[in-house]
Amino acid sequence: MLSPNLSAIFYLISGVLFILALRGLSSPETSRQGNFFGIIGMAIAVTVTFLLIGNFSSGFVVVLIFLLIGGLIGAFIAYKIPMTAMPELVAGFHSLVGLAAVFVAIAAFLNPEAFNLGSPGNIKLGSLIEMSIGAAVGAITFSGSIIAFLKLQGIMSGSPITFKGQHPLNALILISIIVVTYLLCSTQSPNLFWILLAISFLIGFLLIIPIGGADMPVVISMLNSYSGWAAAGIGFTLENTALIITGALVGSSGAILSYIMCKGMNRSFFNVILGGFGATEQSSLQQNKEQRPVKSGNADDAAFLMKNASSVIIVPGYGMAVAQAQHALREMVDTLKKNDIKVSYAIHPVAGRMPGHMNVLLAEANVPYDEVFELEEINNDFANADVAFVIGANDVTNPVAKTDPQSPIYGMPVLDVEKCKSVLFVKRSLSPGYAGIDNDLFYKENTLMLFADAKKMTEDITKNL
């Protein structure tokens, strides 16, 4: 059994490794090292926690068995999951973190002696406050993440679900959580504890259902933040340094990421929580889109335009992820480079369905990091480029975000692909993007639509090159 001082030192070491992990994950070049630091830090934290127990009873063996089962299930899911389903996976894992916080809070409330928190009905006030906050945030994280998972998986409609009086109801429930928490700390009534959990689960559902599909990147990072604060709250309850540090890191980084995502969409964080993209009816423009002229071409046309270009900008999106076209795209780019054509990649902050989605896919295909640029770095280059090759990106290239105040994406910074001399747009059909609105770029004079599977079209272009 470890002494408290020694365990504190090891927990501090694991906390430092978690910080290094986050630092490493800030860049694709250091992400593998960051993951390694995170794994080592978590291994140390788990080992120290087991050694602190000291009593290797039958209960310890049961915990070890469930830890092994959970680890195997998690490893299997992570190994089998395709990159296109990564947002759903993250939402699902967030829900489990929230549920774990709830279960720990229940255990601590029902059996406080086991955690040195006092006795039933006489729990230390500070611990009870921390426990209540951790349980409430954990419950909100769980139910909210379940809704996010269902929306992303397509089991539930990605459109905002609203009803009259929704916002006043949400405000009333949030006030009720504060009131119930105060009464719980005053009376330590078990009934109030269960009521707190019930209304927290309810508000989690109600907070996420009005959020539209295009705001899901923010929801994912926001729920990530919630799960961290839930863990930190329970960490204070258990007086566990590792949980406090880890929860605070996850909570703060998730909040910062949410801010970055909102900035990338020119959205207020509170608007995302209370409103949602795609809440408007389809415009007459979309309803009549089939009547508008659109130019379509094939791989030979695309290869001809690229072969005669001096610079090409690649704009990847969710369609590339669905088709798993990143490797075929890399081969096409290599062919272009052999013909002395300058190629770069333009990444929008919310391309795909979660932050960094496109960066990870391109790194998987060994795309050089110095060829990948964020929106702010490359947006001015479109006007001087010969060809923009848009592969599956939709809402993030839609010019109406700059021109139509009635559009639900108005004000969102988008990639200025329409300023290129020629735009090659790879897409299966003229269907709208995740925001549920038509893309005006389809009908521009300089746009050539390439209707096909992204991977197949890219491979055919490479052959023609």
Side-chain angles (χ1 to χ4, degrees):
M1 181 175 178
L2 286 178
S3 66
N5 289 338
L6 196 57
S7 65
I9 292 172
F10 278 117
Y11 277 148
L12 183 60
I13 292 171
S14 69
V16 171
L17 287 169
F18 292 147
I19 294 171
L20 292 173
L22 279 178
R23 179 69 183 86
L25 292 171
S26 65
S27 167
E29 294 177 282
T30 56
S31 59
R32 288 182 184 273
Q33 187 182 60
N35 271 316
F36 178 74
F37 284 141
I39 291 168
I40 298 299
M42 185 56 69
I44 291 173
V46 171
T47 302
V48 171
T49 302
F50 275 123
L51 292 176
L52 275 173
I53 297 172
N55 180 21
F56 297 98
S57 60
S58 58
F60 177 86
V61 175
V62 171
V63 170
L64 209 56
I65 290 171
F66 277 100
L67 186 67
L68 182 63
I69 293 172
L72 289 173
I73 293 173
F76 177 77
I77 291 173
Y79 179 76
K80 298 293 289 184
I81 203 79
M83 269 305 300
T84 49
M86 195 58 68
E88 295 95 310
L89 178 68
V90 172
F93 281 174
H94 285 163
S95 72
L96 296 178
V97 174
L99 192 60
V102 171
F103 283 153
V104 173
I106 292 172
F109 184 80
L110 296 179
N111 188 16
E113 295 103 327
F115 301 90
N116 298 318
L117 304 179
S119 57
N122 191 30
I123 300 172
K124 290 185 288 186
L125 180 60
S127 298
L128 190 57
I129 293 173
E130 295 154 1
M131 185 192 308
S132 301
I133 294 173
V137 177
I140 292 170
T141 304
F142 172 74
S143 52
S145 297
I146 291 297
I147 296 297
F149 173 84
L150 293 175
K151 281 178 174 265
L152 288 167
Q153 190 69 17
I155 298 173
M156 183 178 182
S157 171
S159 302
I161 300 173
T162 57
F163 54 85
K164 191 174 182 180
Q166 188 171 38
H167 297 333
L169 176 61
N170 288 348
L172 180 64
I173 295 175
L174 289 171
I175 293 170
S176 299
I177 289 176
I178 297 171
V179 172
V180 171
T181 301
Y182 172 78
L183 294 174
L184 173 63
C185 294
S186 301
T187 64
Q188 302 206 11
S189 166
N191 290 334
L192 288 174
F193 180 76
W194 297 115
I195 290 173
L196 175 64
L197 289 180
I199 57 179
S200 297
F201 280 125
L202 177 61
I203 193 64
F205 287 118
L206 294 176
L207 283 174
I208 305 302
I209 59 172
I211 300 177
D215 282 336
M216 274 302 146
V218 178
V219 174
I220 294 294
S221 58
M222 178 192 70
L223 291 169
N224 178 47
S225 180
Y226 286 1
S227 67
W229 297 127
I234 296 301
F236 278 109
T237 303
L238 304 180
E239 297 180 353
N240 186 293
T241 309
L243 259 182
I244 295 170
I245 294 174
T246 307
L249 285 172
V250 174
S252 56
S253 61
I256 292 168
L257 189 57
S258 298
Y259 169 76
I260 293 172
M261 291 297 102
C262 285
K263 187 179 177 182
M265 298 189 298
N266 193 32
R267 300 276 280 167
S268 145
F269 180 77
F270 291 103
N271 282 345
V272 172
I273 300 303
L274 300 175
F277 277 176
T280 58
E281 293 296 322
Q282 298 299 314
S283 65
S284 57
L285 178 68
Q286 167 142 347
Q287 292 169 353
N288 298 323
K289 67 182 179 184
E290 297 298 341
Q291 300 173 13
R292 302 180 67 194
V294 59
K295 292 192 296 183
S296 63
N298 54 34
D300 189 45
D301 299 324
F304 177 80
L305 286 171
M306 286 189 181
K307 195 181 297 183
N308 290 282
S310 59
S311 61
V312 175
I313 299 178
I314 311 292
V315 182
Y318 187 66
M320 184 190 78
V322 172
Q324 289 289 289
Q326 61 270 27
H327 296 283
L329 182 64
R330 169 67 195 274
E331 290 178 19
M332 185 190 81
V333 169
D334 287 343
T335 306
L336 290 171
K337 287 180 184 176
K338 289 176 183 176
N339 292 318
D340 296 323
I341 298 169
K342 180 187 175 185
V343 182
S344 51
Y345 298 80
I347 307 294
H348 192 281
V350 294
R353 290 193 184 178
M354 66 183 296
H357 201 170
M358 296 301 106
N359 302 74
V360 172
L361 287 173
L362 294 178
E364 187 182 291
N366 295 316
V367 170
Y369 303 128
D370 58 359
E371 295 177 5
V372 181
F373 299 93
E374 300 296 327
L375 179 145
E376 298 85 357
E377 301 173 298
I378 201 169
N379 228 14
N380 292 330
D381 295 348
F382 282 103
N384 301 316
D386 294 310
V387 175
F389 185 74
V390 184
I391 178 166
N394 201 331
D395 299 322
V396 298
T397 63
N398 197 338
V400 299
K402 297 176 288 186
T403 59
D404 184 4
Q406 303 304 315
S407 171
I409 64 169
Y410 181 69
M412 182 178 94
V414 292
L415 293 162
D416 295 332
V417 294
E418 77 278 5
K419 293 181 180 179
C420 271
K421 294 176 183 176
S422 299
V423 178
L424 300 173
F425 206 123
V426 183
K427 205 170 183 297
R428 287 181 179 273
S429 68
L430 292 174
S431 60
Y434 211 42
I437 58 173
D438 197 25
N439 191 343
D440 203 37
L441 182 62
F442 299 162
Y443 314 103
K444 294 288 184 182
E445 187 65 29
N446 60 333
T447 299
L448 185 69
M449 298 298 298
L450 305 173
F451 295 113
D453 172 80
K455 184 177 180 181
K456 179 70 166 56
M457 175 57 71
T458 307
E459 290 172 343
D460 288 347
I461 291 173
T462 304
K463 289 175 185 176
N464 279 280
L465 285 170

